[in-house]
Amino acid sequence: PSLIGALARAPAAPPASAASVADVILVGGMDCEGCAVPIRHAIERVGGVERVDVEVATKRVTVRHAPRTDLLA
């Protein structure tokens, strides 16, 4: 699956810390937990990432991170 997708601010849940923000990445082709695990692990290795939630059914990855974290670098 490709990590390239639409990136949108997710205002719903309160931040993990006062300075964090959340982004939602839509991942086309993520059809099973086998796809989700390496995606989660790759994003968790990005500096500034605090939390990663993967929803296979909706093909969404919600990433909580420091405001200046570049998730698509």
Side-chain angles (χ1 to χ4, degrees), residues 3 9 34 38 40 57:
L3 285 180
R9 290 278 176 226
R40 177 184 293 117

Side-chain angles (χ1 to χ4, degrees), residues 5-34:
L7 191 62
R9 290 278 176 226
S17 70
S20 69
V21 294
D23 284 309
V24 175
I25 303 170
L26 303 177
V27 183
M30 183 174 64
D31 297 322
C32 66
E33 196 60 34

